[in-house]
Amino acid sequence: TSNIQNLLRNDNFKFFNHDIVKVFDYKEKIDEIYNLACPASPPSYQRDPIQTLKTCTIGTFNILELALKNRSKVLQASTSEIYGDPLTHPQNENYWGNVNPIGIRSCYDEGKRCSETLFMDYNRKFKLETKIVRIFNTYGKNMDKNDGRVISNFINQAIKNNELTIYGDGSQTRSFLFIDDLIDGLLLSMRNNYFSPINLGNPNEINMNDLADLILRLTKSSSEKVFLPLPFDDPTRRKPDISLA
Ligand code: UDP
């Protein structure tokens, strides 16, 4: 709870530590639900893949049932990972993706694809006010320094003058969104009447070699770069088309 200390001091804020895989029996009226549950960092979601799948499937189902009971608006945090290793570039919302269904990333990719399916079916069947946002790589304040994703890894390595760990040859690309901009996107998405998925991301694409150099320059670090094996199924490139947003 260290990230929410300032909120805990507010009388209008209540914190329940609850696993969404179990039914949450909440008695007061709910207007809006943001389902942000599920680790998003590959080392975290791969640590317990079955739990990741349960969160994205059973957990999402429980959230939708809670929303249905309250007729609340409900938003699902989906991911650019549903595009897998994309064969079209940049990725727009009409692309169905290129996803390995049985690999080590599948618990997250396929789990989130299933949560999108559940959302659309609750929308069609019950006219529930659902929203789906496909979030591209996000970074920023309050990130866990052991998160394992690239920006926090590189910054921590650079300021400790440790080697920057580039996986593969560093030619793979990502497009990084700052957390405050994502939050604006989440709030705006909740307010509109659009039910189909919306990409939320920053279309400025960068490869991991250039990202490492940028962080070395900004931190004035003298760290070296090392090249380590590329994780299996690591997408080669990713850049959102955000015209819809
Ligand atoms: N990556 C890297 N060094 C690290 C961590 C990640 O080169 O210390 C690479 C990783 O292989 C991927 C990219 O950076 O190509 C983004 O990885 P991250 O885990 O941040 O997010 P995701 O793979 O989910 O997009």
Side-chain angles (χ1 to χ4, degrees):
T1 56
S2 60
N3 283 354
I4 54 168
Q5 282 309 315
N6 55 338
L7 296 173
L8 290 170
R9 284 190 285 274
N10 185 326
D11 290 338
N12 292 322
F13 183 82
K14 281 188 202 157
F15 176 65
F16 301 92
N17 189 353
H18 183 87
D19 179 354
I20 63 164
V21 173
K22 300 188 192 101
V23 172
F24 184 55
D25 191 19
Y26 188 68
K27 299 281 182 248
E28 288 171 50
K29 173 152 173 35
I30 303 171
D31 299 316
E32 296 180 355
I33 304 174
Y34 293 79
N35 183 20
L36 312 178
C38 191
S41 160
S44 311
Y45 68 67
Q46 287 166 21
R47 202 166 295 133
D48 189 348
I50 312 277
Q51 178 66 21
T52 299
L53 273 165
K54 282 185 184 168
T55 303
C56 295
T57 56
I58 303 167
T60 301
F61 169 79
N62 285 336
I63 291 292
L64 284 163
E65 284 293 313
L66 184 66
L68 189 60
K69 218 164 71 186
N70 284 276
R71 294 310 303 187
S72 37
K73 295 196 218 175
V74 58
L75 177 143
Q76 174 64 24
S78 184
T79 170
S80 53
E81 288 283 327
I82 69 108
Y83 299 123
D85 194 8
L87 303 176
T88 68
H89 199 71
Q91 294 77 55
N92 73 33
E93 291 84 352
N94 297 324
Y95 180 50
W96 288 353
N98 175 37
V99 176
N100 176 357
I102 55 168
I104 53 170
R105 294 178 91 94
S106 315
C107 59
Y108 188 69
D109 301 8
E110 296 287 19
K112 291 283 189 177
R113 286 168 72 93
C114 179
S115 34
E116 289 199 5
T117 310
L118 280 165
F119 260 63
M120 292 309 293
D121 281 329
Y122 270 71
N123 177 272
R124 283 185 286 257
K125 185 158 181 190
F126 303 112
K127 303 278 171 282
L128 194 64
E129 244 198 271
T130 55
K131 336 262 165 187
I132 299 168
V133 291
R134 292 181 178 156
I135 302 171
F136 284 66
N137 297 62
T138 302
Y139 69 96
K141 297 168 283 187
N142 281 337
M143 249 181 130
D144 180 357
K145 67 176 187 303
N146 299 316
D147 177 276
R149 275 175 289 181
V150 69
I151 298 234
S152 48
N153 274 8
F154 283 179
I155 292 176
N156 279 294
Q157 291 158 347
I159 58 184
K160 289 189 200 139
N161 285 321
N162 291 337
E163 289 171 329
L164 266 62
T165 53
I166 296 179
Y167 302 160
D169 64 4
S171 63
Q172 72 273 34
T173 69
R174 294 291 187 275
S175 309
F176 295 99
L177 176 67
F178 185 57
I179 182 68
D180 291 6
D181 298 328
L182 172 65
I183 291 170
D184 286 345
L186 295 179
L187 296 172
L188 288 167
S189 303
M190 185 61 101
R191 254 175 250 155
N192 73 24
N193 279 326
Y194 192 75
F195 302 137
S196 294
I198 305 174
N199 286 341
L200 292 182
N202 176 350
N204 292 318
E205 186 182 9
I206 185 169
N207 73 46
M208 296 310 105
N209 248 316
D210 291 345
L211 178 71
D213 292 337
L214 176 67
I215 289 175
L216 288 174
R217 207 164 58 238
L218 292 173
T219 55
K220 301 186 176 61
S221 166
S222 54
S223 296
E224 302 282 322
K225 300 188 280 186
V226 286
F227 293 86
L228 301 178
L230 188 67
F232 194 64
D233 275 345
D234 198 279
T236 45
R237 53 193 191 159
R238 181 181 291 156
K239 168 187 162 117
D241 177 338
I242 57 165
S243 20
L244 180 65

